[in-house]
Amino acid sequence: QKEVEQDPGPLSVPEGAIVSLNCTYSNSAFQYFMWYRQYSRKGPELLMYTYSSGNKEDGRFTAQVDKSSKYISLFIRDSQPSDSATYLCAMSANYKLSFGAGTTVTVRA
Amino acid sequence: DAMVIQNPRYQVTQFGKPVTLSCSQTLNHNVMYWYQQKSSQAPKLLFHYYDKDFNNEADTPDNFQSRRPNTSFCFLDIRSPGLGDAAMYLCATSSSQGTSVYQPQHFGDGTRLSIL
């Protein structure tokens, strides 16, 4: 079993839809929970991070962490074609990031 | 803007010919990382520097070396590139207050390495 599980998709949604992305994990020692967005031929861009259970909002993005269920989510409201990218969840207990497989999202105009 | 800058963006080398990739940062972070990312895969950590201390991952081939001459710069040296080393190489930085607490990592845009 992988430490971090993420459905690789692909996920295709119409413009304006809500995009819902999820990851589950097995390591209780993880302290930071992150979402990265990676466009083709670019490096991962840190979208959001949190270190506690609960919700965190930033504009159209909401990150949720449920440590009791070992489950994290990212929601993108009012999705735009520019949101088309691969979304990677990542978690860390120390210096090392444990990544999910990444979910490729396409927002159709 | 503060950022992590990698040069070059694209690098072509010959099989077995040494190559060096560079990374610089303006974030003044004390930790720097090098990752290898192959197509449709998550980044794989090769090694990291905590200040000047080098930390190799157990499964990183000996063919990969790194140098960090100062806080801002870090280099990845591939001594004898093989065809399997063709990949995107990503540099990342983070800050750490003590060896158990690391802030989230910020990545550069990578260098795409091709081997002829």
Side-chain angles (χ1 to χ4, degrees), chain A residues 36 38 41 43 95-96, chain B residues 9 37 57 102-103 105 109:
Chain A
Y36 287 89
Q38 188 170 22
R41 299 183 182 277
Y95 69 90
K96 195 165 186 176
Chain B
R9 291 295 315 281
Q37 187 178 29
E57 293 300 298
Y102 290 74
Q103 297 294 322
Q105 295 180 25
D109 275 337

Side-chain angles (χ1 to χ4, degrees), chain B residues 15-87:
Chain B
F15 181 94
K17 185 173 181 181
V19 66
T20 295
L21 310 180
S22 72
C23 175
S24 64
Q25 55 131 340
T26 58
L27 296 160
N28 202 33
H29 285 167
N30 60 324
V31 190
M32 294 187 77
Y33 309 78
W34 279 104
Y35 288 85
Q36 179 191 67
Q37 187 178 29
K38 296 190 174 180
S39 181
S40 301
Q41 296 182 18
K44 178 179 181 297
L45 182 64
L46 295 173
F47 25 60
H48 77 282
Y49 276 93
Y50 186 102
D51 295 327
K52 294 183 179 180
D53 294 333
F54 176 73
N55 299 274
N56 201 27
E57 293 300 298
D59 57 354
T60 298
D62 292 341
N63 199 25
F64 292 89
Q65 308 277 315
S66 186
R67 295 169 284 135
R68 188 180 186 186
N70 55 52
T71 300
S72 301
F73 286 86
C74 198
F75 300 97
L76 171 63
D77 300 307
I78 308 176
R79 292 192 297 184
S80 182
L83 296 177
D85 296 328

Side-chain angles (χ1 to χ4, degrees), chain A residues 16-35:
Chain A
I18 295 175
V19 176
S20 174
L21 304 167
N22 311 294
C23 290
T24 59
Y25 64 95
S26 56
N27 187 350
S28 300
F30 287 140
Q31 298 173 330
Y32 275 101
F33 302 88
M34 291 147 280
W35 286 96

Side-chain angles (χ1 to χ4, degrees), chain A residues 33-84:
Chain A
F33 302 88
M34 291 147 280
W35 286 96
Y36 287 89
R37 177 175 65 193
Q38 188 170 22
Y39 292 114
S40 180
R41 299 183 182 277
K42 293 278 199 174
E45 172 194 2
L46 181 63
L47 267 182
M48 298 187 72
Y49 69 92
T50 183
Y51 54 87
S52 58
S53 284
N55 292 358
K56 183 176 182 180
E57 274 196 31
D58 184 3
R60 296 184 295 113
F61 298 89
T62 300
Q64 284 185 352
V65 174
D66 183 344
K67 286 187 175 181
S68 61
S69 300
K70 295 189 177 65
Y71 188 88
I72 72 170
S73 301
L74 178 71
F75 300 97
I76 307 173
R77 291 182 299 279
D78 188 25
S79 58
Q80 305 294 311
S82 58
D83 295 326
S84 299

